[in-house]
Amino acid sequence: MESLRQEVAQWRGQYDTGRKRDIAFTNSATEVPPLYTALDLEDSAGTAFETPGAWPFTRGIHPTGYRGKLWTMRQFAGFGTARETNQRYKFLLSQGQTGLSVAFDFPTLMGYDSDHVRSEGEVGKCGVAISSLADMEALFEGIPLDKVSTSMTINGPAIILLCFYIAAAEKQGVDSSKLQGTVQNDILKEYMAQHAWCFPIEPALRLIVDGFEWCASNTPNWNTISISGYHIREAGSTAAQELAFTLADGFTYVERGIARGLDVDEFAPRLSFFWDIHNDFFEEIAKLRAARRIWARHLKERYGAKNPRSWMMRFHSQTAGVTLTAQQPMNNVVRVAYQGLAAVLGGTQSLHTNSMDETLSLPTEGAVQVALRSQQILAYETGVPNVMDPLGGSYYVEALTDQLEREAEGLFEQIEGIGGVVKGLEEGWFQKRIAESAARQQWEIEQRRKIVVGVNEFVTDEPELTIPILRIGQEAEREQREQLAALRASRDNEACARNLEALRAAARGTENVVPRILDCARSYCTLFEIRAALEDVFGAYREPVFF
Ligand SMILES: CC(C)(COP(=O)(O)OP(=O)(O)OC[C@H]1O[C@@H](n2cnc3c(N)ncnc32)[C@H](O)[C@@H]1OP(=O)(O)O)[C@@H](O)C(=O)NCCC(=O)NCCSC(=O)CCC(=O)O
């Protein structure tokens, strides 16, 4: 080591001159020295004594990695009506996609029916419109729900959409115990970053724990939550903040489950995660490795989980939408390919690669095909999946993994210091930290301290729109309105009223509300009717204002 120390010192004197061009930073503004050696791992063994599939899982959760099973290729998709999106799903499955991922339109994300006055102009625009069980049935028509695994990105009204899904499966003759998939259901990051909430924080957390409890005995293969860093990062956080805030959300859910009296090993194996894969290649890989190690340690040592499945962080990744540019949109194909590679080198279980046009509109069929092909090229042509955690042992990646872990632990201490996640949200602590980081990054781009190819460097005067764009018209809204009117006229309205009243009563007490919501779903109560019944009891969330 002494001779290495001398050699590195000599090298630094000669080449690391500290001139402006020689100073580099990670995407999160941490300075990166130009050379890493064994000296950087002097205080840590890195992962020299670790194998994949073994505690603390830095190198992956499965002993066989992608040789055992490739990651799930899961493109997030939805637009217009359920009927139209059903066609897109069939197309994606026919092209070799291995899982489904539902994007809902904005009214659905907020718990409004397509014919609600607040939905006007938004129906089917940024995702598919789902207002009742009837729409969910149409969405999966001809797609056997016992065979496919489905992710649903929905948070405020998540439990209602999950009940529509379970009821749609029942209509196909599939029992809830056979369902495989994930509901995002991560309300804490909504208050933190994404803003699609329905109810105040405490009742929203109660609904999530009701879900943990009910799903543990009724949908054993269903992931009850996808604890998401994605939206925190897209809102402008650094990698370390994404890591720490998301894990802190995860710990909060675990604590709430335990506080309900649930055994941690009853629900923790079905908690899953979702990370954003940004541009800084090695920082992103290190983030994923650190995330697994931190989760494992806290679950075992802090929360007393005994089942190894509770220790294993399983996650989905999506390439960072915020890095896509409207200028020279074909460049996005290249950005996405590098980010997808980072996700796979970091050991993701499931991946969405963005389409080149996603900064302009929902993807066209052609653009999503290229995005999916980029995953297939990675899986079948590059040789990358052949070796588990191939960057394990890299001085840089190991040191960066340790560093991100330390930064996250520092942030956990700060979060504890302010009274925990819920208190921090109420006081705007997280929101302010994210806004500060976002402002710094924007400033760096405007000052050209950070180069964005085609935006502040290598600019051309070609017209911006050089690729086809998917445009969603007003037909979806018209069709939805007609179908909802027909539904309200043909269903058993008395049964609906009875079920909604029973739901209100359950919400007022401490009974688990999931069976009540399921009854409402089965009798074709609409999304907004169920949301409104809960709001009668819980009230609505009003965001605190901060300056
Ligand atoms: C756990 C994950 C992450 C992945 O689940 P998957 O079913 O796809 O994969 P999986 O769990 O790895 O694999 C399925 C089964 O295979 C097993 N398996 C996997 N690899 C194995 C191996 N090497 N050896 C042996 N078995 C293996 C697993 O244990 C599991 O079985 P067992 O279950 O029996 O163990 C889930 O939560 C998920 O699919 N999430 C997707 C979330 C998503 O798409 N979100 C979209 C957000 S989009 C959004 O928010 C908007 C963003 C925007 O604004 O654009």
Side-chain angles (χ1 to χ4, degrees), residues 291-311:
R292 272 192 298 267
R293 186 151 84 201
I294 300 171
W295 183 249
R297 205 184 46 247
H298 283 252
L299 262 285
K300 185 178 181 192
E301 292 171 5
R302 183 164 155 202
Y303 298 114
K306 297 196 174 50
N307 181 351
R309 290 179 76 114
S310 303
W311 308 335

Side-chain angles (χ1 to χ4, degrees), residues 64-65 72 74 151 153 182 184 231 270 272 309 318 349:
T64 57
T72 307
R74 196 186 288 283
S151 162
T153 295
T182 304
Q184 195 165 82
H231 317 85
R270 283 292 158 198
S272 71
R309 290 179 76 114
Q318 177 169 339
Q349 272 60 62

Side-chain angles (χ1 to χ4, degrees), residues 259-276:
R260 172 71 65 91
L262 305 179
D263 175 350
V264 63
D265 287 319
E266 216 179 305
F267 67 93
R270 283 292 158 198
L271 306 179
S272 71
F273 282 81
F274 172 28
W275 301 108
D276 198 17

Side-chain angles (χ1 to χ4, degrees), residues 65-194:
Y66 295 131
R67 290 221 185 181
K69 177 186 166 292
L70 279 171
W71 65 91
T72 307
M73 298 179 193
R74 196 186 288 283
Q75 297 298 102
F76 182 54
F79 60 92
T81 61
R83 192 178 38 76
E84 289 168 286
T85 298
N86 175 269
Q87 293 306 311
R88 175 64 68 91
Y89 289 169
K90 286 178 177 160
F91 168 77
L92 286 168
L93 291 170
S94 76
Q95 295 298 305
Q97 175 165 295
T98 48
L100 291 176
S101 176
V102 185
F104 295 102
D105 70 359
F106 204 63
T108 308
L109 291 175
M110 298 303 293
Y112 290 107
D113 294 343
S114 298
D115 59 357
H116 191 282
V117 60
R118 289 196 173 172
S119 305
E120 233 169 79
E122 285 294 338
V123 175
K125 289 283 162 68
C126 70
V128 61
I130 302 291
S131 301
S132 77
L133 166 59
D135 292 337
M136 196 64 99
E137 287 173 65
L139 188 62
F140 292 102
E141 187 275 318
I143 301 174
L145 293 183
D146 53 344
K147 300 282 184 316
V148 74
S149 109
T150 305
S151 162
M152 292 190 287
T153 295
I154 187 89
N155 296 278
I159 194 70
I160 308 174
L161 274 296
L162 176 59
C163 286
F164 287 165
Y165 188 83
I166 293 166
E170 288 170 357
K171 290 268 173 178
Q172 288 189 3
V174 175
D175 187 72
S176 66
S177 62
K178 299 279 184 322
L179 296 177
Q180 313 153 59
T182 304
V183 64
Q184 195 165 82
N185 200 22
D186 171 14
I187 203 66
L188 291 172
K189 68 91 173 51
E190 294 295 331
Y191 302 117
M192 215 175 260
Q194 161 124 321

